[in-house]
Amino acid sequence: MELLEAPGSLRDQLKKKFADRDALIGVAGIGYVGLPLAVEKAKVGFDVIGYDRNSVRVDQVNQGLNYIRDVNDGEMATLVESGKLRASSDFSSLSRCDAIVICVPTPLTVNLDPDISYIKAVGEQVAAQLRPGQLVCLESTTYPGTTEEVLLPLLEQSGLKVGEDFFLCFSPERVDPGNARYTTKNTNKVVGGVTPACVDVGSCFYSQTILNVLEVSSPKVAEMCKVFENTFRSVNIALVNEMALLCDRLGISIWEVLDAAATKPFGIMRFDPGPGVGGHCIPLDPFYLAWKAREYDYHVRFIELAGEININMPYFVREKIARALNDTGRALRGADILVLGVAYKKDIEDWRESPAIKVMELLSRDGANIDYHDPFVPKFVEHGKQWHSIPLSNERIARADCVVILTDHTDVDYDRVTEHAKVIVDTRNATKRVTQGREKLVLL
Ligand code: SAJ
């Protein structure tokens, strides 16, 4: 392809489009990462096209109907109405984009191996319509090397040269679902480019909507930074989970220990034990790193061990429930159990990979009769079974042989629950402020 301009000016032209906000932005994957990013770009004046193969999401965006809790409904509706934000399930609608941001899922296979098929599929679609003067940014959490070993070869099949004709970066998403304090705009952003020109263009792109952008020396550093962040959380959550298992044996309250340890003004960070680790990041991302490490004959023991401990927690919770019922002369089989909370963490509606669902599965397998109440999750389907949240009446609480708190949603009246329950297994210390009826409580 003959270049019309000297390579450098493509870079400057693109940076000027970003600075003037007249670049056309494409976001491939408009989920909990892509949609907030698309809205932030549209809010500062860019024309944005969201792509998703899920036509329901595309229709919702084009009708101005928000489906991500961290996005403001009114803001989104206004941006769609003004034409600043639209969506399509036809990838060719992104062909004119000056920047394409890839925010597709990176799940695991059943053998806990990385599944980057979504990245590859979108990479091939980007490559098929790649043209001089485009920036491509991968945001999906993945193992170090993905951008340069998987995405770059796909894009260079076009014959275009990275760093001269097009620009390629990795910039990890750092979205904490439900976190009202840290949003897409004020969460520091790390960017690594395949060449210096790439990171320069990528940094200019993100700086239009994010307050602090940190350039690192390569996409690998940025990829490694992200999986380290999530491994850090997985390992520390596993540490407190293991301490909970030990404290259970020692007859010590892990919650009292953690409260006491948290009084140390330096050198410690609060994590809490729970029924397990859910969501689409912490349970999965560390295994991307463990998988890549094996290619270099390295066995990342912390990741495997943390995974084992966290995966075991639903089984430990089942044991606590069995003990609590046994102390009231009841067996698990035939017991009436009321579960409070199925979302993977408090005050959000996402139940993916939720440990609560694993606990319910184990209890069902033991023959218990289960109902659940979760104000954020009206219904869900797991292994083909449809579950529905029930109203939290005093009568229903009193009828349960055991109430089990698996997600500590803020807007549940734990005083009322404790008042009417026979016995409560609280895996989140949600009842920490309850004063009356504490003799009914069994804490993790
Ligand atoms: N959990 C515990 N104990 C803790 C903290 C969390 O049991 O002390 C559990 C939660 O209940 C939940 C799971 O671990 O089931 C994951 O919780 P999380 O808040 O760590 O993970 P996510 O997936 O909601 O969001 C995280 C981000 N969270 C924070 O940084 C606080 C961050 O790691 C990533 O930006 C994001 O995943 C992502 O998208 O990678």
Side-chain angles (χ1 to χ4, degrees):
M1 175 175 293
E2 186 198 345
L3 285 177
L4 302 176
E5 308 270 2
S9 66
L10 272 177
R11 168 180 173 181
D12 296 340
Q13 263 181 316
L14 195 48
K15 286 173 67 179
K16 186 171 186 318
K17 280 185 174 183
F18 293 150
D20 296 347
R21 310 286 164 80
D22 61 18
L24 180 60
I25 312 299
V27 179
I30 42 178
Y32 81 96
V33 174
L35 188 63
L37 174 76
V39 166
E40 285 303 317
K41 290 296 179 190
K43 272 165 65 177
V44 299
F46 290 105
D47 283 340
V48 182
I49 307 173
Y51 161 79
D52 208 296
R53 54 187 216 170
N54 178 337
S55 57
V56 172
R57 274 184 176 172
V58 168
D59 294 344
Q60 284 175 297
V61 168
N62 290 331
Q63 291 160 30
L65 300 175
N66 179 33
Y67 48 84
I68 298 288
R69 174 172 296 276
D70 299 339
V71 170
N72 178 286
D73 295 354
E75 272 181 3
M76 180 178 150
T78 305
L79 291 168
V80 173
E81 205 174 320
S82 66
K84 276 298 179 190
L85 173 62
R86 61 190 171 87
S88 168
S89 51
D90 174 0
F91 200 85
S92 63
S93 59
L94 272 57
S95 60
R96 290 187 307 104
C97 289
D98 300 296
I100 296 177
V101 189
I102 302 172
C103 306
V104 294
T106 45
L108 289 176
T109 66
V110 288
N111 309 90
L112 297 184
D113 289 340
D115 173 1
I116 58 169
S117 58
Y118 296 100
I119 291 179
K120 285 180 180 172
V122 168
E124 282 159 6
Q125 291 174 298
V126 172
Q129 50 191 42
L130 193 66
R131 58 171 176 72
Q134 272 187 322
L135 166 67
V136 180
C137 287
L138 176 60
E139 292 216 353
S140 306
T141 304
T142 184
Y143 60 80
T146 306
T147 303
E148 290 158 297
E149 297 164 11
V150 177
L151 201 47
L152 179 58
L154 285 175
L155 299 182
E156 285 194 320
Q157 281 171 7
S158 61
L160 296 177
K161 185 113 184 65
V162 70
E164 294 176 20
D165 306 324
F166 71 95
F167 307 94
L168 178 58
C169 293
F170 180 84
S171 180
E173 54 89 1
R174 281 173 165 173
V175 174
D176 183 18
N179 189 326
R181 180 175 174 201
Y182 290 108
T183 63
T184 300
K185 182 173 182 175
N186 68 352
T187 299
N188 301 333
K189 193 81 164 134
V190 169
V191 187
V194 173
T195 72
C198 294
V199 73
D200 178 41
V201 171
S203 179
C204 175
F205 169 69
Y206 283 111
S207 301
Q208 306 309 313
T209 48
I210 297 175
L211 299 176
N212 297 312
V213 177
L214 169 76
E215 298 181 9
V216 291
S217 60
S218 70
K220 273 195 182 75
V221 169
E223 289 159 338
M224 184 68 188
C225 170
K226 175 64 182 177
V227 281
F228 165 72
E229 286 168 14
N230 284 358
T231 300
F232 170 81
R233 290 187 66 72
S234 174
V235 167
N236 280 285
I237 293 165
L239 173 62
V240 291
N241 280 335
E242 180 154 64
M243 291 301 105
L245 298 178
L246 177 56
C247 282
D248 180 66
R249 298 280 178 96
L250 297 172
I252 298 171
S253 162
I254 181 64
W255 305 101
E256 190 180 2
V257 169
L258 294 174
D259 288 345
T263 62
K264 184 179 178 189
F266 47 80
I268 197 154
M269 182 174 177
R270 180 73 187 237
F271 288 86
D272 290 298
V277 173
H280 27 270
C281 311
I282 310 304
L284 311 179
D285 298 344
F287 289 100
Y288 268 70
L289 189 55
W291 176 84
K292 188 64 177 178
R294 289 197 288 273
E295 190 180 313
Y296 294 83
D297 300 329
Y298 195 85
H299 187 64
V300 190
R301 282 154 294 179
F302 269 115
I303 292 177
E304 310 282 352
L305 177 60
E308 276 169 42
I309 292 169
N310 292 334
I311 285 167
N312 172 60
M313 291 312 283
Y315 296 87
F316 176 63
V317 170
R318 175 209 163 277
E319 184 194 325
K320 293 286 278 192
I321 296 165
R323 270 193 252 155
L325 284 169
N326 186 56
D327 290 349
T328 63
R330 295 276 330 186
L332 260 175
R333 181 162 300 285
D336 181 314
I337 292 180
L338 176 59
V339 165
L340 299 187
V342 295
Y344 79 81
K345 68 177 186 179
K346 73 176 179 180
D347 301 343
I348 65 167
E349 67 283 345
D350 198 342
W351 48 271
R352 282 176 297 179
E353 310 283 335
S354 174
I357 293 173
K358 184 67 185 178
V359 173
M360 291 163 74
E361 198 182 286
L362 294 173
L363 296 174
S364 298
R365 210 183 294 168
D366 286 322
N369 302 310
I370 305 168
D371 276 332
Y372 88 88
H373 168 77
D374 187 320
F376 287 85
V377 184
K379 61 181 179 182
F380 70 91
V381 179
E382 187 67 13
H383 298 322
K385 180 175 178 181
Q386 177 92 37
W387 294 79
H388 289 276
S389 175
I390 64 164
L392 188 61
S393 69
N394 295 343
E395 180 280 329
R396 185 64 190 88
I397 296 168
R399 180 153 46 91
D401 296 312
C402 181
V403 173
V404 183
I405 301 172
L406 295 175
T407 314
D408 47 333
H409 290 311
T410 306
D411 289 344
V412 172
D413 182 345
Y414 296 105
D415 287 296
R416 176 166 76 93
V417 171
T418 306
E419 182 187 350
H420 296 281
K422 297 188 184 81
V423 64
I424 301 170
V425 173
D426 179 1
T427 69
R428 299 283 194 167
N429 202 19
T431 54
K432 53 181 166 284
R433 293 186 188 82
V434 169
T435 50
Q436 303 299 317
R438 290 198 67 86
E439 70 282 359
K440 301 178 185 178
L441 299 178
V442 176
L443 299 184
L444 201 55

